[in-house]
């Protein structure tokens, strides 16, 4: 069916992107050629990051830094948390969990081992209510860190930059198409997809955490106003009957072969082992229709900002303290890219922010029997510099000065 392009006019206004100066070329090329960090010093740091003492110091510091960012940018973290916690939901009930399950899920038996790790300063990772309550709060703070000039609306600029980049790469969707948002969390990215593609018939958000899905469903049902609109939540939410949120495994969605038109992965794969990401790409290929598209929005460790931060092992440990697979992702990015080129017809990637990329991979059509896809990488200019300047706050900053 005919695919419809989306007008960038529906996206959040963004500051004009600028290219880095040519004097950065040699530094950039050197950073891009960094090898995975190894050796005794790195082994000792790895041991330290898993020690109880380190967790007592570094993890709380990372958490407090993001809460401080929220407070200094007008994001009412505590008020929003307590408002959501007070709403009717399974978190305020002794049981049942839902109609078909009388007890909360058994983490060790029902989830892949990698998913039971500590994530984002939560001992139970994504498998707890606090992680679900605070996901959208933390996301607003992360947005303010990436686009500090926008303050409490920084997340809109941040996510809008990915959407603009995806559209520039040719992201399209047919009329009455179906979009699947894998690793949707509480549905922030799912709701944005619904607005980005008004011609979509169905937008399906899938996440492995029942906690996130329950909170996401509650937010859609309540449809609160955002704080800037005089409401209790960090952003205004409008219910959309086209949106479905469901618990599921991204590498085994149980969706039919060739049944969806587009798949979205927004800030998901940096939280996965490389082998899981590769399986996820294969699952995306299976459920996409011919000429369907996979969208990926992610951290880019080839960018000058992240490459330089990663070159400083101690500084990078602040990120790694709450992201157990970050090194795996950074070291394995080329493997992911090669996998996509191997199984998709074309793969296009560009810079979305000064430290993130957007990628569109298009599946082959029914009549295309070619064996190898094409890669188009426009993240760097002719001089080797990253094509979007970095606006992110420094690690020790919480607000634009």
């Amino acid at each position: 069916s005919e695919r419809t392009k989306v007008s960038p006019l529906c996206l959040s206004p963004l500051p004009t992107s600028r290219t880095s100066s040519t004097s950065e070329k040699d530094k950039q090329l050197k950073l891009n050629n960094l090898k995975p960090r190894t050796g005794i010093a790195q082994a000792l740091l790895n041991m330290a990051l898993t020690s109880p003492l380190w967790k007592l110091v570094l993890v709380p510091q990372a958490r407090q830094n993001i809460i401080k960012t929220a407070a200094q940018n007008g994001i009412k973290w505590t008020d929003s948390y307590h408002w959501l916690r007070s709403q009717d939901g399974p978190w305020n009930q002794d049981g049942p969990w839902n109609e078909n399950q009388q007890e909360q899920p058994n983490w060790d038996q029902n989830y892949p081992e990698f998913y039971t790790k500590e994530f984002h300063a939560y001992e139970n990772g994504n498998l707890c209510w606090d992680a679900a309550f605070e996901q959208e709060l933390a996301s607003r703070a992360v947005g303010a860190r990436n686009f500090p000039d926008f303050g409490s609306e920084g997340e809109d600029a941040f996510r809008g930059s990915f959407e603009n980049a995806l559209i520039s790469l040719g992201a399209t969707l047919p009329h009455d198409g179906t979009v699947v948002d894998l690793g949707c969390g509480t549905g922030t990215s799912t709701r944005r997809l619904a607005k980005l593609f008004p011609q979509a018939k169905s937008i399906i958000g899938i996440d492995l955490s029942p906690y996130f899905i329950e909170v996401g469903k509650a937010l859609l049902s309540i449809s609160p106003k955002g704080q800037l609109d005089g409401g209790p939540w960090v952003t205004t939410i409008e219910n959309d009957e086209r949106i479905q949120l469901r618990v599921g495994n991204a590498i085994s969605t149980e969706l039919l072969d060739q049944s969806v038109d587009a798949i979205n992965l927004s800030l998901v794969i940096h939280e996965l082992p490389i082998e899981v990401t590769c399986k996820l790409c294969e699952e995306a290929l299976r459920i996409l229709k011919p000429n369907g598209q996979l969208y990926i929005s992610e951290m880019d460790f080839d960018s000058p900002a992240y490459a330089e931060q990663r070159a400083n092992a101690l500084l990078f440990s602040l990120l790694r303290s709450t992201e157990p697979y970050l090194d795996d992702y950074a070291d394995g990015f080329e493997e992911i890219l090669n996998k996509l080129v191997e199984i998709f017809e074309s793969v296009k990637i560009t810079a979305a922010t000064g430290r993130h990329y957007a990628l569109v991979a298009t599946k082959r059509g029914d009549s295309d029997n070619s064996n190898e896809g094409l890669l188009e990488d426009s993240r760097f200019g002719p001089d080797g510099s990253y094509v979007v300047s970095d606006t992110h706050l420094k690690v020790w900053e919480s607000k634009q000065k």
Side-chain angles (χ1 to χ4, degrees):
S1 57
E2 183 181 357
R3 301 182 75 85
T4 306
K5 288 191 175 181
V6 181
S7 170
L9 296 177
C10 67
L11 305 182
S12 305
L14 297 175
T16 302
S17 299
R18 305 182 302 275
T19 57
S20 304
S21 64
T22 55
S23 62
E24 295 179 355
K25 179 180 180 180
D26 292 339
K27 179 181 179 182
Q28 176 60 47
L29 294 176
K30 180 180 179 181
L31 289 172
N32 288 347
N33 289 323
L34 285 172
K35 302 297 183 183
R37 293 178 286 110
T38 58
I40 296 177
Q42 183 60 38
L44 291 174
L45 180 59
N46 290 341
M47 291 177 60
L49 286 172
T50 59
S51 70
L53 180 61
W54 196 258
K55 292 177 184 178
L56 289 174
V57 176
L58 194 60
V59 171
Q61 180 181 343
R63 174 178 169 79
Q64 288 305 312
N65 191 38
I66 202 70
I67 294 176
K68 181 180 178 182
T69 296
Q72 295 195 0
N73 285 278
I75 301 165
K76 299 178 181 179
W77 182 300
T78 302
D79 290 350
S80 291
Y81 171 87
H82 287 296
W83 170 80
L84 181 55
R85 185 71 178 81
S86 69
Q87 301 304 301
D88 289 336
W91 51 87
N92 280 333
Q93 301 173 8
D94 294 330
W97 174 262
N98 58 40
E99 294 178 357
N100 301 314
Q101 187 170 336
Q102 296 299 313
E103 297 179 357
Q104 294 187 2
N106 184 309
W107 300 340
D108 294 331
Q109 292 184 14
N110 294 348
Y111 297 95
E113 187 275 334
F114 80 87
Y115 199 71
T116 62
K117 299 284 187 181
E118 295 183 24
F119 282 95
H120 305 150
Y122 302 103
E123 184 176 353
N124 293 319
N126 295 328
L127 298 170
C128 64
W129 288 121
D130 273 353
F133 293 148
E134 295 184 335
Q135 186 199 358
E136 298 197 16
L137 312 181
S139 185
R140 299 301 286 183
V142 168
R145 294 191 64 79
N146 276 276
F147 285 92
D149 285 345
F150 288 76
S152 64
E153 296 181 273
E155 184 190 19
D156 297 319
F158 180 50
R159 292 185 181 272
S161 69
F162 288 116
E163 292 161 356
N164 282 327
L166 290 170
I167 296 304
S168 76
L169 294 175
T172 63
L173 190 79
H175 181 71
D176 282 343
T178 297
V179 186
V180 175
D181 189 22
L182 296 177
C184 67
T186 57
T188 301
S189 53
T190 319
R191 300 192 301 265
R192 290 190 69 99
L193 286 169
K195 291 184 177 181
L196 184 63
F197 295 118
Q199 75 275 25
K201 181 178 181 180
S202 177
I203 304 96
I204 303 170
I206 297 177
D207 200 276
L208 196 53
S209 171
Y211 300 89
F212 281 46
I213 293 298
E214 290 292 334
V215 168
K217 287 180 178 179
L219 287 171
L220 279 173
S221 177
I222 298 168
S223 300
K225 294 289 186 182
Q227 292 164 358
L228 292 179
D229 295 323
W233 193 233
V234 288
T235 187
T236 295
I237 295 177
E238 298 175 0
N239 201 351
D240 190 323
E241 293 182 354
R242 297 174 301 156
I243 295 176
Q244 306 171 43
L245 298 181
R246 61 178 72 166
V247 178
N249 192 331
I251 66 173
S252 180
T253 61
E254 299 184 357
L255 295 171
L256 297 176
D257 292 356
Q258 301 188 29
S259 60
V260 305
D261 300 281
I263 295 170
N264 186 60
L265 285 166
S266 180
L267 301 171
V268 171
I269 64 176
H270 72 271
E271 297 184 357
L272 305 176
I274 295 301
E275 62 272 17
V276 175
T277 297
C278 289
K279 291 179 181 178
L280 196 160
C281 293
E282 292 172 352
E283 176 69 356
L285 185 73
R286 181 187 71 80
I287 65 176
L288 277 172
K289 296 176 182 178
N291 301 313
Q293 294 180 324
L294 169 65
Y295 314 140
I296 299 178
S297 303
E298 258 304 348
M299 305 168 73
D300 190 351
F301 283 98
D302 286 341
S303 68
Y306 271 142
E308 188 170 7
Q309 185 171 355
R310 190 167 184 247
N312 183 325
L314 187 59
L315 191 62
F316 189 62
S317 67
L318 291 172
L319 281 176
R320 289 186 63 209
S321 64
T322 61
E323 300 281 3
Y325 297 105
L326 205 54
D327 259 331
D328 196 31
Y329 165 72
D331 289 341
F333 174 69
E334 185 174 351
E335 182 179 345
I336 296 170
L337 206 55
N338 288 339
K339 180 68 175 180
L340 290 169
V341 172
E342 174 190 339
I343 63 178
F344 283 86
E345 179 184 39
S346 71
V347 177
K348 297 181 180 180
I349 182 172
T350 193
T353 79
R355 52 180 67 193
H356 298 85
Y357 68 80
L359 181 151
V360 174
T362 303
K363 184 175 178 177
R364 293 175 175 84
D366 282 327
S367 60
D368 189 346
N369 296 318
S370 57
N371 294 321
E372 186 173 350
L374 300 176
L375 173 64
E376 181 181 317
D377 188 343
S378 56
R379 292 175 296 162
F380 300 91
D383 65 348
S385 60
Y386 209 64
V387 297
V388 179
S389 61
D390 185 33
T391 60
H392 197 285
L393 293 174
K394 302 298 183 184
V395 172
W396 57 86
E397 294 178 327
S398 55
K399 183 176 175 60
Q400 184 86 322
K401 296 180 180 179

